[in-house]
Amino acid sequence: MKCFDCSPDNSRAIAESYVEKFDGRLKLFDNEQNSGPGTSRNNGLHRATGEYVFFMDADDILLSNGLEEMYSFAKKSDADVVSFKIRCNTSEDGKQLTFVEHKQPRLDPNTVLIDDSTKLAVANIDDMQSIEKSIPYKNTLTWRTRKVLARYRFPWEIWLKFSKRNFLLENKLFFLEDVYNGEDQIWTYGLFMCAKKMIHVPKVLYHHRIAEGSIVRTNRTPAQNMNLWVATFTSGIKWVDNVMSRLDFFKQRPEFRYEVLEAFCRRYSIKILNKVRTLPQGDIYKAIRQEFGEAWGNYDVLLASLITYMNAQQKEIAVLEKSLKECED
């Protein structure tokens, strides 16, 4: 399935040329207006009919057997989510490849980590019933919260995730539609918080192309960049907290809920601060006022004051960045 977000190029015509080759399995849909990645993904999720869902980015490359292998891992494990630990970054011309492995959880190449919310176990990649070792945790949601989410030690990229469609629908894991930057990172929080079973696989099936014209790399002013991350921060923290409010695990453990939100605030505060370092304090307030206007009512001045105060603490920013880097390592 392909959902087109009013693309100005000939990508739709290219996709149409493949329709007959898929015997009706390839379906194309168009948004009525350009609405961003979150809306397109949600439209695709609502229209999908298959057992599993996988989201690609527009310019990337999936290996020819990629979906087949993802499906095989999912069926053998009956996992809600299959998460791949290694990604391959590809230059825009396809000539340079860089392999990046997420350090949490640490796995040998021939193993997978099975996390079924009651136990953590390392198993053979070709025979998941063959357990090589177990990792002691009373409840693996504790591990996900304190070792993964609260320390941001997980692969957040949506194109490293292969998920059951019903799992996403039942848990209302839809993308934020008013956010154009980082909405995929926020969505991944929901996978880790809601999945009854996940498996983590150290294998490369997807090449991420580093395209200069992508949404993430579009040239913007410091004020525009700041406002993008402010929108992500304010919408994202509500989305994450709303998901936790539906889950008994977090209802019964408010301290874990706090840890996730505190880590979320720390990470996105750094992103915002990095964008405002070159802005005078008056421009910070002006940019927020102009961007959000009446939607923020009288509260925009409070947010602007907070960011201005944080901006003045330049030494603290370096400490925060060092702390985050240590967590990710």
Side-chain angles (χ1 to χ4, degrees):
M1 178 185 296
K2 172 68 176 175
C3 188
F4 290 92
D5 197 22
C6 304
S7 303
D9 56 21
N10 65 338
S11 56
R12 197 185 201 289
I14 295 173
E16 287 174 348
S17 69
Y18 284 86
V19 171
E20 292 185 3
K21 300 177 183 178
F22 282 82
D23 301 321
R25 291 174 293 151
L26 177 60
K27 301 184 185 299
L28 309 180
F29 298 96
D30 295 278
N31 293 337
E32 292 183 2
Q33 60 184 17
N34 188 272
S35 305
T39 300
S40 297
R41 292 179 185 132
N42 287 340
N43 287 343
L45 180 55
H46 284 300
R47 294 174 182 270
T49 58
E51 186 178 1
Y52 295 93
V53 173
F54 176 70
F55 296 101
M56 281 189 69
D57 277 0
D59 297 327
D60 292 349
I61 303 168
L62 179 67
L63 300 190
S64 59
N65 65 336
L67 288 178
E68 181 182 0
E69 290 216 37
M70 291 178 188
Y71 179 78
S72 176
F73 281 119
K75 293 300 287 185
K76 288 178 181 178
S77 64
D78 192 32
D80 292 325
V81 179
V82 180
S83 178
F84 293 87
K85 289 182 70 274
I86 308 175
R87 73 175 189 267
C88 175
N89 290 341
T90 306
S91 60
E92 197 161 6
D93 59 10
K95 294 181 179 180
Q96 297 180 356
L97 304 180
T98 304
F99 292 90
V100 180
E101 180 173 5
H102 292 272
K103 296 180 179 180
Q104 181 71 21
R106 300 176 189 275
L107 294 173
D108 293 329
N110 61 337
T111 63
V112 298
L113 178 69
I114 299 175
D115 166 8
D116 67 1
S117 77
T118 59
K119 68 177 185 300
L120 286 170
V122 178
N124 185 282
I125 196 169
D126 296 317
D127 179 12
M128 294 184 203
Q129 303 304 315
S130 178
I131 304 299
E132 298 188 358
K133 70 174 180 178
S134 296
I135 302 172
Y137 259 93
K138 185 176 181 180
N139 188 310
T140 60
L141 281 174
T142 300
W143 173 78
R144 291 188 203 169
T145 301
R146 291 193 158 161
K147 294 295 185 180
V148 180
L149 294 175
R151 301 185 69 181
Y152 209 79
R153 300 179 71 175
F154 62 95
W156 57 261
E157 297 88 344
I158 62 170
W159 29 263
L160 294 179
K161 307 292 180 290
F162 189 76
S163 310
K164 282 185 178 178
R165 181 174 62 90
N166 284 342
F167 156 72
L168 298 178
L169 296 176
E170 289 168 2
N171 288 279
K172 301 178 182 178
L173 297 181
F174 302 109
F175 293 88
L176 284 166
E177 297 189 356
D178 59 344
V179 171
Y180 288 78
N181 197 29
E183 81 294 334
D184 45 359
Q185 301 179 32
I186 294 165
W187 179 80
T188 306
Y189 274 82
L191 301 186
F192 278 86
M193 292 189 293
C194 295
K196 290 183 172 60
K197 185 174 185 179
M198 300 181 72
I199 64 167
H200 305 269
V201 183
K203 196 163 189 175
V204 176
L205 298 174
Y206 188 95
H207 287 200
H208 175 56
R209 196 193 306 268
I210 308 298
E212 293 303 319
S214 67
I215 292 176
V216 175
R217 295 176 181 82
T218 300
N219 289 327
R220 301 185 182 94
T221 66
Q224 289 172 329
N225 271 317
M226 177 194 70
N227 284 334
L228 272 177
W229 284 112
V230 168
T232 301
F233 177 89
T234 53
S235 295
I237 197 168
K238 293 175 186 176
W239 190 95
V240 170
D241 191 51
N242 183 52
V243 173
M244 287 193 289
S245 72
R246 304 195 299 260
L247 301 172
D248 289 340
F249 176 82
F250 290 101
K251 288 179 183 179
Q252 297 164 8
R253 299 168 179 80
E255 70 278 14
F256 284 14
R257 190 168 174 176
Y258 168 81
E259 286 182 31
V260 172
L261 294 177
E262 192 275 336
F264 184 96
C265 290
R266 182 173 66 249
R267 180 169 184 82
Y268 285 92
S269 294
I270 291 172
K271 289 182 179 293
I272 295 169
L273 289 166
N274 280 332
K275 303 305 178 184
V276 302
R277 288 181 178 183
T278 61
L279 291 178
Q281 294 181 0
D283 288 352
I284 296 174
Y285 171 74
K286 189 184 301 181
I288 291 176
R289 184 71 178 175
Q290 181 177 350
E291 182 75 16
F292 296 101
E294 297 303 321
W296 284 61
N298 295 323
Y299 295 101
D300 58 348
V301 69
L302 298 179
L303 180 62
S305 298
L306 174 62
I307 294 176
T308 298
Y309 169 77
M310 295 169 70
N311 189 34
Q313 310 302 310
Q314 292 294 339
K315 292 182 180 179
E316 294 297 324
I317 297 174
V319 173
L320 284 170
E321 288 179 330
K322 181 179 179 181
S323 174
L324 183 64
K325 181 65 168 59
E326 289 174 350
C327 286
E328 292 178 345
D329 290 341

